Amino acid sequence: MARSLGDTGLTLRRSSARTVGFSILFVAATCLSRLTMMDWTNFSLVWPAAGLLAVWFVVQRDSRWRWLDLLSLAAITMAVNLATGTGVGLAAFFLAANLTQAYLFTALFRRWLPEDAAGGDDGQGRSRSRQLWRLIAAAAVASGPGAVIGPAGVWLLDGRWPALASVIWLIRNVVSILLIGIASRRVGDLVRRAWQHRRMPWPALPAGRRIEYAALIVSSVLAYYLMFGVADSLPAAFALIALTVWAGLRLGVTFVVLHDLVFGTVAVLFTLNGDGPFASIPSHSVRALVAQLFVGTIAVVGLALAVSREERDALTTRLREQAQLLTTVIESISEGIGVVDEQGEFLVRNPAIARMLGGFTSPGAHVEAASYYGVFHLDGTPVAEQDLPHKRVLAGEHLDPLELMIRNDGVPEGRIVKVNAVLMPGQIYDRKYAVVALHDITADRRHRDELANFAGVVAHDLLNPLATVEGWSEALLQDLDDPDALVDGITRIQRASTRMRALIDDLLAYTTARDATLIRMPCDLDALVEDITAGRADHAQSAGVAVPSFEFGGLAPVDGDPVLIRQLLENLIGNAIKYTAPGVTPAITVTTGADPAEPGLVRVEITDNGIGIPAGQHDAVFGNFHRAHRDAGYTGTGLGLAICKRIVERHGGTIAATDNPAGAGTRISFTLPGAALPPRAPTGPNPYRWQLDLEQTLG
């Protein structure tokens, strides 16, 4: 039906313009309808004015000046009926029938088709089977009183009740409202879209569909001509419904309603002219009834098929979009998702589960026995095939989440996954399926184990100085009168407190290196190393020990968090100084170069002449609380290099320890992202050597 225009604020000028426009169309439709009068009953064979009247009053239903429409309708109805030979009394009955039908249909339309009454959205509300049948019901109910009022007027004024008059009146008005009402809305939408997009829809159709439209039109013209113009004596008009079925099953609703309207009119015109299979019926009433039933049948059949197909196509499109959305979501999540049957055949799977299982990537791939792709309990024992999660669920068992280990060629050391499996309700393709979800918790478990070990070592290392503090505190209480014992006890307590503070500081540094937010920027390594080495030299000078020798210069800049990069260099340079044999002056060299294995990374090497790392411990020194020289008298918590490893890995680099290729000592090499900042130009007579020597300075 016509689109609601929200006419509560409609101006008088605009409302009057509509009234005039609809009045002109109604005059033309009424005059054409009166030309099809059958006999003394003054009933017309067709009544397109009924459909136009329904559109008129629906469009104007919210206008404050709709009384103008009422006056115009009354004037037109009386004038046309009087001009075509109808008496004043019968014309008044016809006016009453029209008014009743118009107001009743408007009320039913507002109540039964609220989507269309509110304006709809390009016909979406009407393009449903339910909406179509509600429209037909509203047209039938609204036409019912008129189908009684009109014949009653003939009976009261002429004394004869026209045979089948009420049925003919009802059918012709319902068909008129159905065809003209839907056609006005569909054509209106078509014109509006064409105007908005500045193009007609016909050129946008595929060539095959345009050929089909043309073929149906040509076939319809030929078939109706043969049936009504050539072989008009054959009672085979029912065969023409095949063309309507073709249109309804294949083509758009707008075309179907126009096809029904045009060729229904052709059938009526042939019948009025005395041609066609209906013209041979002697009774005017029966002839009109059969003709209207034919037009009504092709209208209802065509529209029912077309709107059902349109609804099905829209539903298919929505389902396809939802399926695509669901597929995108499933494939984008990191958890492995799969739908598998009892035989181990995947119906649905996402890339994550393929990575976890090691290559079962396509629907139809099978989950074979556990020994094939390696599903194990956490204690290392294989999971029997009948104990696989999907097997247990499909066997009717309720399965709580469990943790398993999966080994395959991609991850020979295995990954730990948390498995959830539930039974899908119903069956698909006569099979039961289980939904299996895998969540990779390998990193979480590793972190948990590291945290447990970390906490154990921390507790152990903190208990030792605490025990020292407690023991010597008790001893001091007993030796308050002994000054030497007091000094020794306090000294021991201070050393224990110092160890505790160092451990706590390292724990805070370790946490910062692991969890702090990175603030990346270009870092000048020359400036950082120069500042650190100057501080170390000052410390050695104040402590009265040998001042270390540092060699560096022209270091490449790196991209990183300056605070963490400084902490990294402080730890490594501090270790190089600390782990030096007694009587040896620390000599540290810092160099940089491009990493041949990873373009874009800068390799930094810090080489010392210290005591080195025991054989077999070059990787272990980066573990938490590992101390390579625990019994050699060197202080420390064993977290320094672990902190360095965390910092480097958070910047996307790697770190390794090797022996000094030039002799005694160690070389620590690590990689960091390069930066656009150009290296500083070396200055001074010996730019690659920076050394503070206490004796030379004092001398």
Side-chain angles (χ1 to χ4, degrees), residues 330-331 333-337 350-357 438:
I330 290 177
E331 291 186 351
I333 61 178
S334 58
E335 283 76 11
I337 303 293
N350 69 343
I353 200 171
R355 291 193 299 270
M356 294 181 188
L357 295 181
L438 306 182

Side-chain angles (χ1 to χ4, degrees), residues 154-314:
V154 176
W155 175 67
L156 290 174
L157 297 176
D158 195 59
R160 292 180 292 175
W161 186 274
L164 302 177
S166 294
V167 178
I168 297 172
W169 184 298
L170 179 66
I171 293 176
R172 74 175 189 183
N173 284 17
V174 169
V175 172
S176 176
I177 294 174
L178 182 63
L179 291 177
I180 294 180
I182 295 179
S184 64
R185 176 63 182 273
R186 301 295 296 207
V187 173
D189 289 342
L190 186 66
V191 172
R192 182 171 51 256
R193 287 195 298 268
W195 176 260
Q196 290 174 349
H197 300 290
R198 296 296 190 271
R199 65 176 184 179
M200 295 300 293
W202 175 259
L205 291 175
R209 185 51 57 91
R210 293 201 298 267
I211 292 174
E212 186 172 7
Y213 273 107
L216 179 57
I217 293 173
V218 173
S219 300
S220 298
V221 171
L222 293 176
Y224 273 82
Y225 175 73
L226 291 175
M227 188 60 61
F228 284 89
V230 179
D232 55 359
S233 60
L234 294 176
F238 63 87
L240 297 174
I241 296 179
L243 296 169
T244 301
V245 172
W246 178 5
L249 291 177
R250 296 285 301 167
L251 306 177
V253 175
T254 303
F255 177 83
V256 171
V257 70
L258 293 177
H259 179 274
D260 294 344
L261 184 61
V262 170
F263 288 99
T265 302
V266 169
V268 170
L269 292 177
F270 271 104
T271 301
L272 288 174
N273 195 48
D275 298 319
F278 308 142
S280 60
I281 300 175
S283 171
H284 292 289
S285 298
V286 175
R287 185 191 313 160
L289 177 62
V290 171
Q292 290 297 335
L293 284 174
F294 174 78
V295 176
T297 299
I298 64 173
V300 173
V301 169
L303 287 172
L305 291 174
V307 297
S308 296
R309 180 188 51 77
E310 190 176 81
E311 183 179 11
R312 183 180 66 253
D313 291 345

Side-chain angles (χ1 to χ4, degrees), residues 93 96-98 100-101 141-152 166 169-170 173:
F93 274 96
N98 286 341
T100 303
Q101 174 179 301
V141 173
S143 300
V148 174
I149 295 173
S166 294
W169 184 298
L170 179 66
N173 284 17

Side-chain angles (χ1 to χ4, degrees), residues 385-406:
E385 184 175 358
Q386 65 272 16
D387 292 331
L388 291 172
H390 71 280
K391 294 273 190 180
R392 295 170 61 183
V393 168
L394 290 170
E397 181 180 348
H398 173 74
L399 191 66
D400 292 326
L402 72 159
E403 295 180 0
L404 298 173
M405 178 178 289
I406 297 176

